[in-house]
Amino acid sequence: KHPKNQNDNINNNKMMIATTFNCMTPELLKSSCSNSPMQAHELSEFDILCTQDKSLLKNHTGNQLFRQRIEEVKDMYKQAKNKVEKMAITKELVESIQNKHGLRFVRFDGVSWVQADQSTAREKVGHALRFSIRREKKQAMKQLKKAAMKTEIANSQSQRLTSASGYDSDSQASTSDEACVAPFESMSDSSNTAIEPLDFSAKAEDQ
């Protein structure tokens, strides 16, 4: 891909990310958080926790806001043509979160919460974007399977109704045929009765 076109895409993505954050992020975040180095145990509710502990991630305000931002940028990430553009998106997203809104990515070092480095923050963003895209695909596949099952059930019911209707028609036709044939069978039986020959001997004697 031509470097100029690639740089144009990256710059456009930067502008879109900046616009999204300026419109959507509450002003409260700027006053509640600071991107200055944090002290041990100095954890804000708006910090973004880099941890695998789902019980912490689910209800922590910073991570809830982070997931919202991931959803807003997800389509842009999917449309990226190559790894360079994807890395530029994650880098710009991290910088927007940190520099424009004063939020911090933090990790637990086994003793206390400390500020994460840029590599960890970008890894967190990249993982969140990929996870969101995979989840979207799984949900789409689940919906397709449900729709296919509904169609299969409807077709099966339709076939059963058609079969039952065909059986009734055949039964009625058979009964009608039997009713039409019965009188002819009865006439055939009566015609088979033996006819007694006429006795001409008595008339001959009289003559």
Side-chain angles (χ1 to χ4, degrees), residues 78-101:
K78 286 195 299 185
Q79 294 169 7
K81 299 296 187 299
N82 51 50
K83 188 175 181 180
V84 173
E85 290 187 9
K86 290 181 178 181
M87 289 178 64
I89 290 172
T90 58
K91 182 175 181 291
E92 180 64 22
L93 191 53
V94 169
E95 290 177 356
S96 295
I97 290 173
Q98 292 176 327
N99 300 331
K100 294 181 181 179
H101 306 287

PDB file of all heavy atoms in Angstrom, residues 78-101:
ATOM      1  N   LYS A  78     -11.568  -2.489  12.809  1.00  0.00           N
ATOM      2  CA  LYS A  78     -11.885  -3.563  11.869  1.00  0.00           C
ATOM      3  C   LYS A  78     -11.575  -3.160  10.430  1.00  0.00           C
ATOM      4  O   LYS A  78     -11.208  -3.994   9.612  1.00  0.00           O
ATOM      5  CB  LYS A  78     -13.374  -3.942  11.981  1.00  0.00           C
ATOM      6  CG  LYS A  78     -13.722  -4.730  13.218  1.00  0.00           C
ATOM      7  CD  LYS A  78     -15.091  -5.367  13.101  1.00  0.00           C
ATOM      8  CE  LYS A  78     -16.184  -4.353  12.944  1.00  0.00           C
ATOM      9  NZ  LYS A  78     -17.538  -4.991  12.945  1.00  0.00           N
ATOM     10  N   GLN A  79     -11.740  -1.887  10.127  1.00  0.00           N
ATOM     11  CA  GLN A  79     -11.533  -1.410   8.765  1.00  0.00           C
ATOM     12  C   GLN A  79     -10.059  -1.128   8.445  1.00  0.00           C
ATOM     13  O   GLN A  79      -9.733  -0.850   7.293  1.00  0.00           O
ATOM     14  CB  GLN A  79     -12.361  -0.147   8.533  1.00  0.00           C
ATOM     15  CG  GLN A  79     -13.867  -0.407   8.568  1.00  0.00           C
ATOM     16  CD  GLN A  79     -14.681   0.871   8.591  1.00  0.00           C
ATOM     17  OE1 GLN A  79     -14.133   1.968   8.462  1.00  0.00           O
ATOM     18  NE2 GLN A  79     -15.987   0.743   8.760  1.00  0.00           N
ATOM     19  N   ALA A  80      -9.202  -1.188   9.459  1.00  0.00           N
ATOM     20  CA  ALA A  80      -7.774  -0.954   9.227  1.00  0.00           C
ATOM     21  C   ALA A  80      -7.242  -1.991   8.247  1.00  0.00           C
ATOM     22  O   ALA A  80      -7.557  -3.178   8.347  1.00  0.00           O
ATOM     23  CB  ALA A  80      -7.015  -1.011  10.541  1.00  0.00           C
ATOM     24  N   LYS A  81      -6.433  -1.543   7.289  1.00  0.00           N
ATOM     25  CA  LYS A  81      -5.982  -2.417   6.206  1.00  0.00           C
ATOM     26  C   LYS A  81      -4.798  -3.295   6.592  1.00  0.00           C
ATOM     27  O   LYS A  81      -4.553  -4.325   5.977  1.00  0.00           O
ATOM     28  CB  LYS A  81      -5.607  -1.569   4.993  1.00  0.00           C
ATOM     29  CG  LYS A  81      -6.757  -0.751   4.422  1.00  0.00           C
ATOM     30  CD  LYS A  81      -7.858  -1.639   3.893  1.00  0.00           C
ATOM     31  CE  LYS A  81      -8.934  -0.845   3.161  1.00  0.00           C
ATOM     32  NZ  LYS A  81      -9.621   0.140   4.015  1.00  0.00           N
ATOM     33  N   ASN A  82      -4.026  -2.877   7.572  1.00  0.00           N
ATOM     34  CA  ASN A  82      -2.832  -3.648   7.908  1.00  0.00           C
ATOM     35  C   ASN A  82      -2.441  -3.407   9.368  1.00  0.00           C
ATOM     36  O   ASN A  82      -3.096  -2.638  10.083  1.00  0.00           O
ATOM     37  CB  ASN A  82      -1.667  -3.277   6.975  1.00  0.00           C
ATOM     38  CG  ASN A  82      -1.454  -1.774   6.900  1.00  0.00           C
ATOM     39  OD1 ASN A  82      -1.360  -1.105   7.929  1.00  0.00           O
ATOM     40  ND2 ASN A  82      -1.405  -1.247   5.685  1.00  0.00           N
ATOM     41  N   LYS A  83      -1.385  -4.088   9.772  1.00  0.00           N
ATOM     42  CA  LYS A  83      -0.937  -4.020  11.163  1.00  0.00           C
ATOM     43  C   LYS A  83      -0.465  -2.627  11.552  1.00  0.00           C
ATOM     44  O   LYS A  83      -0.669  -2.184  12.691  1.00  0.00           O
ATOM     45  CB  LYS A  83       0.194  -5.035  11.385  1.00  0.00           C
ATOM     46  CG  LYS A  83       0.605  -5.191  12.830  1.00  0.00           C
ATOM     47  CD  LYS A  83       1.635  -6.297  12.980  1.00  0.00           C
ATOM     48  CE  LYS A  83       2.030  -6.464  14.440  1.00  0.00           C
ATOM     49  NZ  LYS A  83       3.037  -7.547  14.604  1.00  0.00           N
ATOM     50  N   VAL A  84       0.128  -1.908  10.602  1.00  0.00           N
ATOM     51  CA  VAL A  84       0.622  -0.562  10.899  1.00  0.00           C
ATOM     52  C   VAL A  84      -0.531   0.358  11.283  1.00  0.00           C
ATOM     53  O   VAL A  84      -0.451   1.113  12.269  1.00  0.00           O
ATOM     54  CB  VAL A  84       1.390   0.007   9.673  1.00  0.00           C
ATOM     55  CG1 VAL A  84       1.768   1.467   9.915  1.00  0.00           C
ATOM     56  CG2 VAL A  84       2.625  -0.823   9.399  1.00  0.00           C
ATOM     57  N   GLU A  85      -1.623   0.294  10.517  1.00  0.00           N
ATOM     58  CA  GLU A  85      -2.783   1.129  10.816  1.00  0.00           C
ATOM     59  C   GLU A  85      -3.414   0.735  12.155  1.00  0.00           C
ATOM     60  O   GLU A  85      -3.862   1.595  12.920  1.00  0.00           O
ATOM     61  CB  GLU A  85      -3.808   1.029   9.692  1.00  0.00           C
ATOM     62  CG  GLU A  85      -3.362   1.706   8.405  1.00  0.00           C
ATOM     63  CD  GLU A  85      -4.465   1.737   7.359  1.00  0.00           C
ATOM     64  OE1 GLU A  85      -5.615   1.388   7.686  1.00  0.00           O
ATOM     65  OE2 GLU A  85      -4.176   2.110   6.203  1.00  0.00           O
ATOM     66  N   LYS A  86      -3.459  -0.557  12.436  1.00  0.00           N
ATOM     67  CA  LYS A  86      -4.027  -1.012  13.705  1.00  0.00           C
ATOM     68  C   LYS A  86      -3.193  -0.528  14.888  1.00  0.00           C
ATOM     69  O   LYS A  86      -3.748  -0.089  15.916  1.00  0.00           O
ATOM     70  CB  LYS A  86      -4.129  -2.541  13.721  1.00  0.00           C
ATOM     71  CG  LYS A  86      -5.191  -3.080  12.778  1.00  0.00           C
ATOM     72  CD  LYS A  86      -5.279  -4.593  12.848  1.00  0.00           C
ATOM     73  CE  LYS A  86      -6.386  -5.109  11.928  1.00  0.00           C
ATOM     74  NZ  LYS A  86      -6.505  -6.587  11.984  1.00  0.00           N
ATOM     75  N   MET A  87      -1.882  -0.614  14.746  1.00  0.00           N
ATOM     76  CA  MET A  87      -1.004  -0.136  15.824  1.00  0.00           C
ATOM     77  C   MET A  87      -1.143   1.370  16.021  1.00  0.00           C
ATOM     78  O   MET A  87      -1.111   1.867  17.155  1.00  0.00           O
ATOM     79  CB  MET A  87       0.456  -0.489  15.495  1.00  0.00           C
ATOM     80  CG  MET A  87       0.769  -1.973  15.587  1.00  0.00           C
ATOM     81  SD  MET A  87       2.487  -2.360  15.149  1.00  0.00           S
ATOM     82  CE  MET A  87       3.360  -1.510  16.456  1.00  0.00           C
ATOM     83  N   ALA A  88      -1.339   2.098  14.921  1.00  0.00           N
ATOM     84  CA  ALA A  88      -1.520   3.548  15.026  1.00  0.00           C
ATOM     85  C   ALA A  88      -2.815   3.876  15.775  1.00  0.00           C
ATOM     86  O   ALA A  88      -2.866   4.830  16.565  1.00  0.00           O
ATOM     87  CB  ALA A  88      -1.536   4.168  13.629  1.00  0.00           C
ATOM     88  N   ILE A  89      -3.863   3.070  15.550  1.00  0.00           N
ATOM     89  CA  ILE A  89      -5.144   3.297  16.235  1.00  0.00           C
ATOM     90  C   ILE A  89      -4.995   3.055  17.738  1.00  0.00           C
ATOM     91  O   ILE A  89      -5.461   3.858  18.559  1.00  0.00           O
ATOM     92  CB  ILE A  89      -6.235   2.381  15.645  1.00  0.00           C
ATOM     93  CG1 ILE A  89      -6.589   2.838  14.229  1.00  0.00           C
ATOM     94  CG2 ILE A  89      -7.486   2.384  16.524  1.00  0.00           C
ATOM     95  CD1 ILE A  89      -7.516   1.896  13.492  1.00  0.00           C
ATOM     96  N   THR A  90      -4.357   1.953  18.106  1.00  0.00           N
ATOM     97  CA  THR A  90      -4.185   1.664  19.537  1.00  0.00           C
ATOM     98  C   THR A  90      -3.310   2.728  20.202  1.00  0.00           C
ATOM     99  O   THR A  90      -3.579   3.144  21.334  1.00  0.00           O
ATOM    100  CB  THR A  90      -3.556   0.269  19.744  1.00  0.00           C
ATOM    101  OG1 THR A  90      -2.294   0.206  19.067  1.00  0.00           O
ATOM    102  CG2 THR A  90      -4.457  -0.818  19.191  1.00  0.00           C
ATOM    103  N   LYS A  91      -2.273   3.181  19.501  1.00  0.00           N
ATOM    104  CA  LYS A  91      -1.387   4.211  20.052  1.00  0.00           C
ATOM    105  C   LYS A  91      -2.148   5.520  20.269  1.00  0.00           C
ATOM    106  O   LYS A  91      -2.042   6.156  21.329  1.00  0.00           O
ATOM    107  CB  LYS A  91      -0.206   4.436  19.103  1.00  0.00           C
ATOM    108  CG  LYS A  91       0.822   5.461  19.589  1.00  0.00           C
ATOM    109  CD  LYS A  91       2.002   5.509  18.625  1.00  0.00           C
ATOM    110  CE  LYS A  91       3.059   6.507  19.102  1.00  0.00           C
ATOM    111  NZ  LYS A  91       2.590   7.905  19.013  1.00  0.00           N
ATOM    112  N   GLU A  92      -2.938   5.922  19.275  1.00  0.00           N
ATOM    113  CA  GLU A  92      -3.701   7.172  19.386  1.00  0.00           C
ATOM    114  C   GLU A  92      -4.752   7.080  20.487  1.00  0.00           C
ATOM    115  O   GLU A  92      -5.018   8.042  21.213  1.00  0.00           O
ATOM    116  CB  GLU A  92      -4.368   7.478  18.037  1.00  0.00           C
ATOM    117  CG  GLU A  92      -5.189   8.749  18.024  1.00  0.00           C
ATOM    118  CD  GLU A  92      -4.346   9.990  18.255  1.00  0.00           C
ATOM    119  OE1 GLU A  92      -3.117   9.931  18.011  1.00  0.00           O
ATOM    120  OE2 GLU A  92      -4.907  11.023  18.670  1.00  0.00           O
ATOM    121  N   LEU A  93      -5.357   5.902  20.624  1.00  0.00           N
ATOM    122  CA  LEU A  93      -6.384   5.715  21.655  1.00  0.00           C
ATOM    123  C   LEU A  93      -5.771   5.835  23.048  1.00  0.00           C
ATOM    124  O   LEU A  93      -6.341   6.478  23.940  1.00  0.00           O
ATOM    125  CB  LEU A  93      -7.040   4.337  21.475  1.00  0.00           C
ATOM    126  CG  LEU A  93      -8.304   4.056  22.282  1.00  0.00           C
ATOM    127  CD1 LEU A  93      -9.342   5.139  22.060  1.00  0.00           C
ATOM    128  CD2 LEU A  93      -8.875   2.698  21.907  1.00  0.00           C
ATOM    129  N   VAL A  94      -4.609   5.225  23.246  1.00  0.00           N
ATOM    130  CA  VAL A  94      -3.918   5.321  24.537  1.00  0.00           C
ATOM    131  C   VAL A  94      -3.567   6.773  24.853  1.00  0.00           C
ATOM    132  O   VAL A  94      -3.779   7.265  25.964  1.00  0.00           O
ATOM    133  CB  VAL A  94      -2.648   4.442  24.545  1.00  0.00           C
ATOM    134  CG1 VAL A  94      -1.781   4.754  25.766  1.00  0.00           C
ATOM    135  CG2 VAL A  94      -3.020   2.964  24.534  1.00  0.00           C
ATOM    136  N   GLU A  95      -3.034   7.482  23.848  1.00  0.00           N
ATOM    137  CA  GLU A  95      -2.637   8.871  24.066  1.00  0.00           C
ATOM    138  C   GLU A  95      -3.838   9.768  24.363  1.00  0.00           C
ATOM    139  O   GLU A  95      -3.765  10.686  25.189  1.00  0.00           O
ATOM    140  CB  GLU A  95      -1.881   9.392  22.840  1.00  0.00           C
ATOM    141  CG  GLU A  95      -0.508   8.753  22.681  1.00  0.00           C
ATOM    142  CD  GLU A  95       0.206   9.222  21.419  1.00  0.00           C
ATOM    143  OE1 GLU A  95      -0.417   9.996  20.640  1.00  0.00           O
ATOM    144  OE2 GLU A  95       1.371   8.837  21.219  1.00  0.00           O
ATOM    145  N   SER A  96      -4.955   9.494  23.693  1.00  0.00           N
ATOM    146  CA  SER A  96      -6.170  10.281  23.958  1.00  0.00           C
ATOM    147  C   SER A  96      -6.659  10.072  25.382  1.00  0.00           C
ATOM    148  O   SER A  96      -7.061  11.014  26.060  1.00  0.00           O
ATOM    149  CB  SER A  96      -7.268   9.890  22.965  1.00  0.00           C
ATOM    150  OG  SER A  96      -6.917  10.229  21.657  1.00  0.00           O
ATOM    151  N   ILE A  97      -6.634   8.809  25.825  1.00  0.00           N
ATOM    152  CA  ILE A  97      -7.085   8.497  27.181  1.00  0.00           C
ATOM    153  C   ILE A  97      -6.174   9.150  28.217  1.00  0.00           C
ATOM    154  O   ILE A  97      -6.642   9.736  29.205  1.00  0.00           O
ATOM    155  CB  ILE A  97      -7.111   6.960  27.380  1.00  0.00           C
ATOM    156  CG1 ILE A  97      -8.241   6.350  26.551  1.00  0.00           C
ATOM    157  CG2 ILE A  97      -7.297   6.610  28.856  1.00  0.00           C
ATOM    158  CD1 ILE A  97      -8.233   4.832  26.545  1.00  0.00           C
ATOM    159  N   GLN A  98      -4.874   9.088  27.975  1.00  0.00           N
ATOM    160  CA  GLN A  98      -3.914   9.580  28.967  1.00  0.00           C
ATOM    161  C   GLN A  98      -3.755  11.100  28.936  1.00  0.00           C
ATOM    162  O   GLN A  98      -3.892  11.779  29.961  1.00  0.00           O
ATOM    163  CB  GLN A  98      -2.548   8.929  28.727  1.00  0.00           C
ATOM    164  CG  GLN A  98      -2.507   7.446  29.021  1.00  0.00           C
ATOM    165  CD  GLN A  98      -1.165   6.836  28.677  1.00  0.00           C
ATOM    166  OE1 GLN A  98      -0.495   7.263  27.734  1.00  0.00           O
ATOM    167  NE2 GLN A  98      -0.765   5.821  29.429  1.00  0.00           N
ATOM    168  N   ASN A  99      -3.476  11.648  27.765  1.00  0.00           N
ATOM    169  CA  ASN A  99      -3.084  13.051  27.680  1.00  0.00           C
ATOM    170  C   ASN A  99      -4.264  14.018  27.640  1.00  0.00           C
ATOM    171  O   ASN A  99      -4.209  15.087  28.243  1.00  0.00           O
ATOM    172  CB  ASN A  99      -2.197  13.267  26.448  1.00  0.00           C
ATOM    173  CG  ASN A  99      -0.936  12.422  26.495  1.00  0.00           C
ATOM    174  OD1 ASN A  99      -0.439  12.110  27.576  1.00  0.00           O
ATOM    175  ND2 ASN A  99      -0.430  12.030  25.341  1.00  0.00           N
ATOM    176  N   LYS A 100      -5.322  13.654  26.929  1.00  0.00           N
ATOM    177  CA  LYS A 100      -6.441  14.582  26.772  1.00  0.00           C
ATOM    178  C   LYS A 100      -7.433  14.508  27.924  1.00  0.00           C
ATOM    179  O   LYS A 100      -8.171  15.455  28.171  1.00  0.00           O
ATOM    180  CB  LYS A 100      -7.158  14.305  25.450  1.00  0.00           C
ATOM    181  CG  LYS A 100      -6.300  14.608  24.236  1.00  0.00           C
ATOM    182  CD  LYS A 100      -7.052  14.337  22.947  1.00  0.00           C
ATOM    183  CE  LYS A 100      -6.172  14.625  21.739  1.00  0.00           C
ATOM    184  NZ  LYS A 100      -6.866  14.343  20.460  1.00  0.00           N
ATOM    185  N   HIS A 101      -7.459  13.378  28.613  1.00  0.00           N
ATOM    186  CA  HIS A 101      -8.477  13.191  29.642  1.00  0.00           C
ATOM    187  C   HIS A 101      -7.909  12.793  31.001  1.00  0.00           C
ATOM    188  O   HIS A 101      -8.654  12.585  31.948  1.00  0.00           O
ATOM    189  CB  HIS A 101      -9.504  12.167  29.170  1.00  0.00           C
ATOM    190  CG  HIS A 101     -10.093  12.524  27.837  1.00  0.00           C
ATOM    191  ND1 HIS A 101     -10.990  13.543  27.675  1.00  0.00           N
ATOM    192  CD2 HIS A 101      -9.864  12.038  26.607  1.00  0.00           C
ATOM    193  CE1 HIS A 101     -11.308  13.657  26.392  1.00  0.00           C
ATOM    194  NE2 HIS A 101     -10.623  12.745  25.729  1.00  0.00           N
TER     195      HIS A 101
END
